[in-house]
Amino acid sequence: MLHVSDHPLIQSELTRLRDRACPGPEFRQRVRRIASLMVPTVTAHLPTRAISCETPLEVTSGVTLQRHLVLAPILRAGIGFLDGFLDLLPDARVAHIGLARNENTLMPEPYYFKAPADLGDSDLIVLDPMLATGGSAIEAIRTLQEAGAKHVSLAVLVASPEGVSAMQDALPEVPVHAAALDRCLNEKGYILPGLGDAGDRLFGT
Ligand SMILES: O=P(O)(O)OC[C@H]1O[C@H](OP(=O)(O)OP(=O)(O)O)[C@H](O)[C@@H]1O
Ligand SMILES: O=c1cc[nH]c(=O)[nH]1
Ligand SMILES: [Mg+2]
């Protein structure tokens, strides 16, 4: 399932982000803001369970999330996307997945993985600003599944049709949430129109 946002606040933030003249500090702030704006839709289908709650006046019924929440940013650029999610989901735990896309082969090369225990009993949201060929997202989700994850979704800023199609072929059960679905990849595997290299723009490299 692919969900692409049509929210006017997300779309206007994203337009500014795409602008090559948007400087690093502003870019970081806007990525954080879009991430927060995406939280309601990305979490809309999390299962809850009934609990009772005592107000100052009486006992009533309410709900709590059924499972722990784990946010799983793909390093590096996913780190820039994480903060806006944590702003609204401060109780979430964090799984770090280090992957670097090889510039020649476009294949993801793993370099780090550290995740909380009990992934099987958690809802996981994998975070990365860019879904290009899809190789990094697929590798990250498979790594989490090998570590026990069962309930996984993916949130990205900009997706390419190629990346969405690769996700649907490899992991059809994983929902994908994107702020935008762009036109295509160029010959170097960059998304068009895209926003350039998200990691470089976030971290000034
Ligand atoms: O869908 P794909 O073709 O795999 O490409 C997308 C990946 O490439 C970028 O990361 P990169 O490997 O450049 O690392 P960085 O975050 O350290 O810049 C981006 O943040 C994704 O993780
Ligand atoms: O367009 C792209 C593709 C991969 N990684 C990026 O940061 N941008
Ligand atoms: Mg990069």
Side-chain angles (χ1 to χ4, degrees):
M1 182 213 65
L2 172 67
H3 180 274
V4 182
S5 170
D6 58 1
H7 197 291
L9 294 180
I10 292 178
Q11 296 314 314
S12 61
E13 288 286 345
L14 187 59
T15 301
R16 180 65 185 140
L17 211 57
R18 290 185 191 276
D19 188 340
R20 65 186 307 160
C22 178
E26 181 183 333
F27 189 90
R28 264 198 299 277
Q29 276 200 336
R30 288 186 188 276
V31 170
R32 185 177 189 143
R33 211 174 294 143
I34 298 178
S36 291
L37 289 167
M38 290 178 71
V39 167
T41 40
V42 172
T43 56
H45 301 291
L46 291 181
T48 56
R49 64 181 167 80
I51 56 168
S52 73
C53 161
E54 207 173 324
T55 79
L57 300 176
E58 63 178 20
V59 174
T60 185
S61 59
V63 296
T64 186
L65 290 184
Q66 192 173 312
R67 296 186 276 262
H68 295 298
L69 197 53
V70 173
L71 300 173
I74 301 177
L75 311 184
R76 290 173 305 164
I79 291 289
F81 204 31
L82 172 68
D83 292 334
F85 277 83
L86 279 177
D87 287 341
L88 294 196
L89 304 166
D91 294 331
R93 295 181 289 181
V94 180
H96 292 88
I97 307 164
L99 296 176
R101 191 171 77 151
N102 182 302
E103 285 180 13
N104 300 312
T105 64
L106 300 186
M107 297 300 290
E109 296 179 351
Y111 60 87
Y112 186 75
F113 180 68
K114 185 87 175 176
D118 304 329
L119 287 186
D121 293 329
S122 304
D123 284 296
L124 285 94
I125 306 172
V126 175
L127 304 175
D128 196 325
M130 310 307 279
L131 179 69
T133 66
S136 301
I138 292 166
E139 173 71 21
I141 294 167
R142 288 209 169 121
T143 302
L144 290 165
Q145 288 176 333
E146 279 161 24
K150 295 196 189 91
H151 314 283
V152 184
S153 59
L154 172 68
V156 303
L157 272 184
V158 182
S160 72
E162 294 89 335
V164 170
S165 163
M167 275 294 298
Q168 282 167 350
D169 288 348
L171 298 160
E173 74 284 9
V174 175
V176 178
H177 296 268
L181 177 62
D182 276 11
R183 193 174 74 251
C184 64
L185 297 179
N186 71 7
E187 68 288 351
K188 291 185 172 167
Y190 277 81
I191 301 174
L192 296 175
L195 46 77
D197 190 304
D200 286 351
R201 294 191 69 186
L202 279 163
F203 301 117
T205 47

